[in-house]
Amino acid sequence: MPTPEVISLGNMLVEVMRVQLDEPLDRPGTFVGPFPSGDTPIYVDTVARLGRSAGFIGVVGRDDFGRCLLDRFARDGVDATRVRVSPEHSTGVAFVAYFRDGSRRFLYHWRHAAAGQLSPEDVDPAYLRGTRWLHLTGCNLAICESSRQACYRAMEMLPPEARLSFDPNIRPEVLSADEIRALCAPVLTRADVFLPSAGEGKLFTGAATDEEGCRQLARQGKIVVLKEGARGSRVFTAAEELHIPAFPVTEVDPTGAGDSFCAAFTVALLEGMPLAEAGRFANAVGALAVTVKGPMEGAPTRAQVEAFLARHAAP
Ligand code: ATP
Ligand code: MG
């Protein structure tokens, strides 16, 4: 099998979530799941659903949760030949509770699970040699040393002409701002496309506002895309700044929208779409992603995005 056009790596998790709002995780209640999840698995799965070849480097346990993830990759055509099945570890799990004020609480079993076993030896240089795009996230730089080194190695193996996208996707509760900046600095330096969320434009630059931080990074020649949830997204380059309004949808589950958005933006740039069109395409994919419960259940196929865009075409 030829190397996929788009490769990512990181934690493979299933998500098990509360059925009702306002059910904390420290008492009995009802859950639904498992749903395949993990920020970079959602990303590659969306890339594949949108019609580009995608492959993943990660670790699952030899158990039903691992099967749940591998079955999803098989269904959507993600190359899983570089996913290792560890007989000694259980597949990573995230438990999620949702609250009426829109907040979410996550409880992770990943560092000591299969997800935390990803290491530089899992990164085969031959696999990366022919790829066009690598996507990394800060979350996988923060989870543990071996996962971080795997991400750095993948970046070092990337051909110079291939592009790197970087989504911080990092919860500041876990690490200090200085630690986050230090871990991410090598990746941010190499990144061609930087995809922060609210707060991360400031965090990574020390600028007074996200906008100013995004502009600073854009002046270095990067394409910077600030994801703003129900407000849409903003694209910054050295030459221009675009605000791309969100599509009106009813949000059912916000988890995974950012990862699907990054996937769509990648596909759009690989296909040479102009930035305004790429932003609109990615906003449509993010909007569709939030309309379905489950982190990657709402990731649309190419046909679904095109039908959605046609319905929302300007008159
Ligand atoms: P996360 O907190 O999961 O990391 P994120 O900050 O990476 O999320 P969001 O900004 O929440 O990503 O979502 C990505 C994109 O999806 C948005 O820029 C927007 O285009 C679309 N989107 C998200 N939520 C909504 C919504 N409620 N309505 C319409 N579009 C949405
Ligand atoms: Mg995100």
Side-chain angles (χ1 to χ4, degrees):
M1 164 152 192
T3 291
E5 280 182 287
V6 180
I7 291 176
S8 190
L9 69 163
N11 64 90
M12 297 179 78
L13 303 173
V14 294
E15 200 164 299
V16 178
M17 64 261 248
R18 285 300 202 195
V19 176
Q20 315 283 349
L21 289 176
D22 298 325
E23 281 193 296
L25 295 172
D26 58 355
R27 63 201 65 169
T30 325
F31 286 102
V32 61
F35 291 102
S37 189
D39 61 348
T40 47
I42 297 168
Y43 171 89
V44 288
D45 198 78
T46 309
V47 169
R49 286 174 74 75
L50 294 174
R52 311 305 303 193
S53 66
F56 197 74
I57 304 168
V59 191
V60 291
R62 182 163 291 156
D63 52 29
D64 290 342
F65 286 174
R67 179 60 35 215
C68 169
L69 281 149
L70 290 171
D71 283 351
R72 178 57 58 95
F73 278 176
R75 187 196 81 180
D76 290 339
V78 175
D79 175 43
T81 55
R82 297 312 199 272
V83 174
R84 176 158 60 90
V85 180
S86 165
E88 284 108 46
H89 298 91
S90 320
T91 300
V93 184
F95 295 92
V96 191
Y98 296 86
F99 297 91
R100 205 164 297 279
D101 64 3
S103 65
R104 289 172 285 178
R105 191 158 176 100
F106 293 89
L107 193 161
Y108 292 110
H109 286 262
W110 65 6
R111 206 182 300 264
H112 303 290
Q117 311 310 311
L118 180 66
S119 82
E121 289 77 67
D122 291 305
V123 179
D124 173 6
Y127 194 55
L128 283 143
R129 207 165 289 139
T131 197
R132 294 178 67 195
W133 197 290
L134 175 68
H135 179 71
L136 295 177
T137 69
C139 153
N140 290 297
L141 296 172
I143 164 175
C144 61
E145 183 64 24
S146 68
S147 166
R148 167 160 57 248
Q149 294 305 333
C151 293
Y152 290 160
R153 180 170 157 90
M155 186 175 82
E156 283 153 18
M157 298 299 151
L158 192 64
E161 66 282 6
R163 280 189 276 179
L164 177 76
S165 53
F166 178 52
D167 179 352
N169 227 1
I170 206 158
R171 315 262 166 227
E173 310 88 75
V174 187
L175 292 167
S176 73
D178 284 341
E179 285 169 320
I180 293 174
R181 277 194 287 265
L183 292 179
C184 297
V187 179
L188 183 56
T189 303
R190 168 66 176 82
D192 305 284
V193 182
F194 179 52
L195 299 134
S197 307
E200 292 169 344
K202 286 195 284 192
L203 175 71
F204 282 88
T205 56
T209 62
D210 278 331
E211 291 72 16
E212 199 36 55
C214 291
R215 281 181 202 125
Q216 274 182 29
L217 291 164
R219 281 197 290 271
Q220 298 171 11
K222 300 181 193 305
I223 298 175
V224 179
V225 189
L226 182 63
K227 291 166 283 166
E228 295 188 306
R231 283 181 292 137
S233 56
R234 295 170 66 175
V235 182
F236 301 78
T237 66
E240 60 181 336
E241 241 175 79
L242 307 164
H243 173 246
I244 326 269
F247 291 95
V249 291
T250 304
E251 183 177 293
V252 174
D253 182 356
T255 309
D259 310 315
S260 288
F261 176 98
C262 293
F265 201 78
T266 299
V267 167
L269 292 193
L270 280 171
E271 295 183 0
M273 282 184 209
L275 288 174
E277 192 184 334
R280 198 172 131 77
F281 182 73
N283 274 5
V285 170
L288 285 164
V290 303
T291 60
V292 184
K293 198 172 181 79
M296 61 169 95
E297 305 313 302
T301 61
R302 188 62 175 247
Q304 286 167 333
V305 195
E306 272 160 15
F308 181 86
L309 284 168
R311 276 201 306 281
H312 291 84

